[in-house]
Amino acid sequence: MRGRRALIAALVLVLGVVGVKAGSERAAHNLSPEGLAKVSAYIRNEIATGKIPGAILLLQQHGKPVYYENFGVRDAATEMSMSADTIFRLYSMSKPVTSVMAMMLVEEGKLKLDDPVSKYIPAFAGMKVGVEKKAEDGKVALVLEPVNRPVTIKDLLRHTSGLPYGYHGGGMVRELYAEANLFNSNLNNADFVAKIATLPLVEQPGTVWDYGYSTDVLGRVVEVIAGKTLLQFEKERLLDPLGMTETAFFVADPAKFPRIAEPMPEDRNINPTTQVRDIRQPAKWESGGGGMVGTVGDYARFAQMLLNGGTYDGRRYLKPETIALMASDHIGPETKVARDQNYYPGGSSGFGLGFAVRTSVPPGTSWPLGEYRWDGVGGTFFFIDPEDDLFGIFMVQTPSQRGRIQLALKTLIYQAMGR
């Protein structure tokens, strides 16, 4: 126990764990030592069986780390030990950061959720929906139809814009997105959005939750309003004030290259045509949907700010009611928003303005309603559990094992809380 207390004291210094809200030491489910031992054993087994090189898990409750451990190595090639300053590809854990930036502008009255995207990106006024239609000769053609209503800022935040990720075999519109090779184009945000505006939408706006480039377009909207690049605005309003000094869109300093976490050599494919990004290479594309890199300590500050209702270390970033709005379900039955076949939040969750949101308790558990979360295709994930005044962050690089590990770890963590 003395060693554990020393580790937690060291983490307070490393992670800068401050800013817990007053009165948060309320009744909550606590993590049992026996349950946490099973969490540790699970991660060690993943490393021992060659699934992942290493990982970091942080669980923080009432503003203090209650569990933190570095496992294995950053990179199987160098065998350098995992440590708190290891830099990870965050991929879609960038989306909540971009969403927070947009909601800051909403609070300031510079952006409205029901604004059409075309107000800030005029090319969106000409968007059409691609519909597959079969002719009399049996051939299928893509017909472009007008939108029933414009794509709005809210559509971008909740993934109902009709802007999909492309993949082969997903229909004619998704094939067009795949052929556009947007992930590998390395355009700046203005040119990226100009290119995406030439493609059709895959559905009518506001009709289907369809995961894709919505948050990248939102990042460009933020740039247009702020009159700065996305990173400049993020650094000014969020990253620098929070102390997220390692968070960026690539690793600029060669002295930091040895700190980059890498997946196993055979586990580098995001999909059949895209490998994990080399974050040592400068990137023009400041992808609000998937481009950020960072450390566990940086993301812990961001997560604690959200859990605190928008404040951290005496500074307010968002109002509590704004956080509550973001962490509410915006695609519930009353909205008539359908869910695509790849609905990643799962059956017990809806989706808010930047996060999946737990709306029902999974069978056989007592997992908390209102828990909100997201993850990245590189393997990282986080969750915020307001009911237990807790958040968790798991840092790992493994595109192929991420879903299996995330579900197993979440289950073990909540079992350790008696949930």
Side-chain angles (χ1 to χ4, degrees):
M1 280 302 292
R2 188 177 299 162
R4 173 70 63 179
R5 286 195 199 100
L7 173 61
I8 290 174
L11 275 168
V12 171
L13 295 174
V14 171
L15 302 179
V17 181
V18 291
V20 64
K21 61 192 172 196
S24 64
E25 296 276 347
R26 59 180 182 268
H29 293 76
N30 294 317
L31 292 143
S32 73
E34 300 79 14
L36 290 175
K38 291 178 183 176
V39 171
S40 299
Y42 175 84
I43 300 171
R44 288 196 187 97
N45 184 64
E46 291 296 302
I47 295 166
T49 54
K51 308 285 199 320
I52 58 174
I56 301 175
L57 177 62
L58 168 67
L59 302 173
Q60 189 157 299
Q61 192 172 33
H62 309 315
K64 297 168 188 165
V66 289
Y67 177 98
Y68 176 88
E69 200 149 347
N70 300 307
F71 297 89
V73 297
R74 297 169 180 164
D75 183 347
T78 65
E79 296 189 339
M80 293 181 72
S81 294
M82 190 64 76
S83 59
D85 64 352
T86 301
I87 299 168
F88 295 83
R89 299 160 183 84
L90 299 176
Y91 282 106
S92 288
M93 274 170 53
S94 311
K95 289 180 170 73
V97 176
T98 307
S99 301
V100 162
M101 304 315 298
M103 295 307 289
M104 285 179 174
L105 295 172
V106 170
E107 279 195 357
E108 293 168 10
K110 295 175 181 175
L111 181 66
K112 292 190 175 71
L113 293 178
D114 58 359
D115 279 345
V117 174
S118 58
K119 180 176 177 180
Y120 308 98
I121 303 169
F124 261 67
M127 294 297 272
K128 299 278 197 293
V129 180
V131 179
E132 294 181 27
K133 297 208 170 171
K134 190 180 283 190
E136 288 182 12
D137 61 3
K139 288 185 179 176
V140 177
L142 191 66
V143 177
L144 298 182
E145 297 186 346
V147 294
N148 293 335
R149 68 156 176 81
V151 179
T152 66
I153 301 303
K154 186 174 184 179
D155 288 322
L156 297 180
L157 282 157
R158 65 179 187 170
H159 294 285
T160 56
S161 65
L163 295 166
Y165 284 139
Y167 57 88
H168 296 295
M172 295 175 82
V173 173
R174 292 181 208 276
E175 290 282 358
L176 289 175
Y177 278 76
E179 288 161 15
N181 200 24
L182 292 162
F183 270 123
N184 300 314
S185 54
N186 198 24
L187 303 168
N188 65 27
N189 282 341
D191 292 339
F192 174 87
V193 168
K195 187 170 183 178
I196 215 167
T198 67
L199 298 168
L201 303 176
V202 73
E203 304 104 3
Q204 286 287 346
T207 61
V208 181
W209 187 93
D210 201 333
Y211 198 54
Y213 289 109
S214 292
T215 317
D216 290 297
V217 175
L218 183 66
R220 177 56 188 162
V221 171
V222 169
E223 287 187 340
V224 170
I225 296 169
K228 299 171 177 161
T229 69
L230 184 58
L231 182 61
Q232 285 170 342
F233 187 59
E234 286 171 336
K235 283 179 72 63
E236 177 188 307
R237 297 293 302 277
L238 183 76
L239 303 180
D240 288 353
L242 267 179
M244 296 173 69
T245 56
E246 303 281 4
T247 304
F249 289 97
F250 62 93
V251 181
D253 182 0
K256 295 181 179 179
F257 289 175
R259 288 166 45 196
I260 296 171
E262 297 292 352
M264 298 298 279
E266 68 281 4
D267 187 15
R268 297 191 67 85
N269 286 342
I270 298 296
N271 60 45
T273 60
T274 307
Q275 285 208 328
V276 293
R277 192 162 65 88
D278 182 359
I279 57 176
R280 296 163 179 83
Q281 299 297 319
K284 275 194 250 174
W285 187 24
E286 295 182 354
S287 166
M292 300 196 100
V293 304
T295 62
V296 65
D298 275 15
Y299 217 88
R301 292 162 183 263
F302 178 67
Q304 187 69 59
M305 179 274 290
L306 294 172
L307 182 55
N308 288 350
T311 60
Y312 186 90
D313 199 16
R315 177 170 177 149
R316 178 159 297 288
Y317 295 86
L318 286 174
K319 296 174 183 173
E321 52 267 38
T322 301
I323 302 284
L325 182 69
M326 295 178 76
S328 302
D329 184 18
H330 288 265
I331 59 164
E334 72 286 352
T335 67
K336 298 186 169 61
V337 172
R339 300 176 178 191
D340 74 346
Q341 70 274 20
N342 301 314
Y343 183 64
Y344 303 116
S348 66
S349 294
F351 202 84
L353 304 179
F355 316 95
V357 181
R358 178 95 44 216
T359 53
S360 64
V361 179
T365 78
S366 61
W367 289 13
L369 298 178
E371 175 225 62
Y372 58 103
R373 66 197 184 277
W374 205 234
D375 55 85
V377 74
T380 61
F381 74 84
F382 80 103
F383 66 96
I384 294 176
D385 170 3
E387 185 175 310
D388 296 303
D389 195 26
L390 171 89
F391 72 78
I393 300 171
F394 186 62
M395 292 294 214
V396 69
Q397 303 284 243
T398 175
S400 68
Q401 304 298 310
R402 68 187 195 279
R404 177 184 63 80
I405 290 175
Q406 182 178 163
L407 179 59
L409 267 182
K410 282 287 289 293
T411 301
L412 286 168
I413 290 164
Y414 275 125
Q415 284 176 350
M417 300 174 75
R419 306 201 74 145

